[in-house]
Amino acid sequence: MSLRKRISLRNTLAFRLTLWYAGIFTVSSCVAFLLFYTLITSFIQDRTDQELLSQVNRFSTLSAAEGIEAVKSAAVLEAQAAGVKKVFFRLLSLNGQAFSSSNMAYWQDIDIDSMAIKELLHGRSRVFEIITIPKRREKVRVLYAFLSPTIILQVGEAMESYSRFLDAFRGIFITTMTFLIILAAGVGWFMARRAVSGVEAVTRTAQKISGGNLEERVPVKAKGDEIDQLATTFNQMLNRIQALLKEIKEMSDNIAHDLRSPITRIRGIAEVTLSAGKSLNEYEAMAASTVEECDRLLDMINTMLLISKTEAGVDRLIREEIDLTALVRKACELFEPAAEDKGVNLACSVPNGSRLVGDTRMIQRMLSNLLDNAIKYTPSGGSVSIFLLENDGQVAVSIRDTGIGLLPSDLPRIFERFYRCDQSRSQAGIGLGLSLARAVARAHGGDITVVSTPNQGSTFTVTLQKSPPSHS
Ligand code: ADP
């Protein structure tokens, strides 16, 4: 089933982006149109008003120069010249009565506004009005103004061409806008689809992975955009998951292998005793061997649990003030006999008074593992030295040996659970010592590193914070 079919169109990001895009475009265009429309309207109205005012001025000058009779005949002629359907003139007395006018046959619907006359009498120099003639759906701009102290001129001009212009403007706007909105929605849809196609690629890959194919990766287009970042992060996450799964698989293989050997041994001892030995001594020996094997098994299982808990932070550290100098010296003392037996020289060079806050038992266990390894993997005649160095807030403990060393190819893996290098297979061990050492170091806000040369020796260095961060 394709993605688009599964998500209904209205819920898709592309659809919503398109709506936003088209919506914003429409609103901004309408605002721009309104602004433009208002500007044009006031501009045209201003022009009409200027024309009307200039008529009034001309007629007042004429009235002053040649008398009212001259104005009357000029008004008739002027209206005829401009067109009787275009302008009209009325001369009014102060009580609002018309005593002369141009041809008013076309303008019968236009009355004399007594309010306008009143306003003039109350001191206003002119009054403008817009009158709509409902029958003809026509607008007329009318001006009342004094011609002389006793005569008022009412002059009107049809706004027909002005209305026609605005109607045409509106018509063009609506057609253009409809076309542009459709175009904007189309372009918006195209752009949104392009933008989300990367997200769809990630989703498709995730679906294939949920179908069981962990090898799949999202193609990265190298444009460096957000989608590429998402794809890269997603691919990195997949690499990590794949590596973890590989680790888990290897670990479970190792666990199975390491459990099988002692159990096979226990079974073998029991079988031999049952078939051959009948004496109490033989049964006692079988029981002792079984206990020994079980102890090793338990030790292995407990170590695994301890590593997991330490790594996950489940087992909170017991935070106590530790005399690290004393702890390291004590560990050296404990391993002295083993080193002597093997003919390895063990040197402990630690300054007095080094202290830190941490978990004594865990640090003891870590030091034991490292010292045990150093002695175990150093042939007779070699030496093991332990140093301690302090610098701001940290303590570094180094265990250097002149033993068999490590191959460069083994270095990145020796801290993994159950990893054992080929050249050390002859030695006893289960491959958990270094994993635990690293977990303890990290739980104390530090880490463990190794420098090694095959056949020359290795130096393991543990750094520990003097006051490790407390777990949440
Ligand atoms: P093991 O129980 O095998 O010692 P560890 O986890 O302690 O397990 O060590 C993992 C592997 O790292 C060992 O099997 C060994 O091959 C290698 N190793 C650890 N310490 C040393 C060392 N000091 N010198 C050489 N190899 C070492």
Side-chain angles (χ1 to χ4, degrees), residues 373-374 376-377 401 404-406 414 419-421 424 429-435 458 460:
N373 278 350
K376 196 161 66 176
Y377 299 115
D401 65 59
I404 59 171
L406 288 148
I414 51 167
Y419 188 79
R420 304 200 71 211
C421 309
S424 57
I430 48 174
L432 289 176
L434 287 182
S435 307
S458 319
F460 285 84

Side-chain angles (χ1 to χ4, degrees), residues 369-378 384 399-401 403-407 410 413-425 427-437 450 452 457-460:
N369 287 352
L370 293 172
L371 277 171
D372 184 44
N373 278 350
I375 296 168
K376 196 161 66 176
Y377 299 115
T378 301
V384 171
I399 291 133
R400 185 194 298 158
D401 65 59
I404 59 171
L406 288 148
L407 293 172
D410 284 325
R413 303 203 58 193
I414 51 167
F415 296 104
E416 289 173 16
R417 287 181 181 84
F418 295 108
Y419 188 79
R420 304 200 71 211
C421 309
D422 285 338
Q423 79 265 28
S424 57
R425 296 250 174 234
Q427 299 282 350
I430 48 174
L432 289 176
L434 287 182
S435 307
L436 182 63
V450 58
S452 183
S458 319
T459 305
F460 285 84

Side-chain angles (χ1 to χ4, degrees), residues 331-348:
C332 287
E333 272 169 33
L334 274 172
F335 279 87
E336 188 61 58
E340 230 176 81
D341 283 356
K342 210 178 164 194
V344 170
N345 177 46
L346 179 61
C348 185

